Amino acid sequence: LSKESVHKGYVETINLVICESGNKHDDVWGDNGKAYGRFQYWKIGFYDIAEKTGNQDLLLDWQNPTHQYFIYKEAYKRQMVSKYWTCY
């Protein structure tokens, strides 16, 4: 990966989490209680991405901030972000 593409990915990620949650994770619920955390995942969307990226067999918790970031990176690498996040 080039420095430019890494920087672009970093900037897009920061912009997304600022838009979705103000870059806060704990006790940040949205979409009438359906979305949670820094990335504002819906439970069904989180596990859908996990399955589509081949990570369905991992013991992932949709509310865990580290797991949220991991699944986001998997979605980003596969250009799936615009399907799941309105702030993208």
Side-chain angles (χ1 to χ4, degrees):
L1 292 171
S2 70
K3 272 203 271 190
E4 293 79 19
S5 67
V6 171
H7 178 73
K8 179 181 179 234
Y10 176 77
V11 169
E12 288 176 349
T13 301
I14 293 299
N15 287 338
L16 181 126
V17 297
I18 288 171
C19 175
E20 290 286 351
S21 65
N23 201 25
K24 296 178 178 79
H25 181 79
D26 294 327
D27 205 32
V28 178
W29 291 90
D31 297 333
N32 296 313
K34 295 178 184 175
Y36 183 77
R38 182 169 281 118
F39 288 90
Q40 287 295 287
Y41 278 105
W42 286 33
K43 184 177 183 178
I44 193 168
F46 178 88
Y47 291 111
D48 186 51
I49 295 170
E51 183 177 342
K52 287 180 177 172
T53 59
N55 293 293
Q56 68 274 11
D57 294 331
L58 299 178
L59 296 175
L60 297 170
D61 173 8
W62 75 286
Q63 293 179 337
N64 179 300
T66 303
H67 297 178
Q68 284 197 359
Y69 182 59
F70 172 76
I71 291 298
Y72 170 79
K73 287 191 309 181
E74 294 293 299
Y76 188 87
K77 285 191 288 189
R78 292 165 177 84
Q79 300 177 341
M80 298 167 59
V81 175
S82 63
K83 179 179 178 188
Y84 292 91
W85 286 275
T86 56
C87 285
Y88 184 74

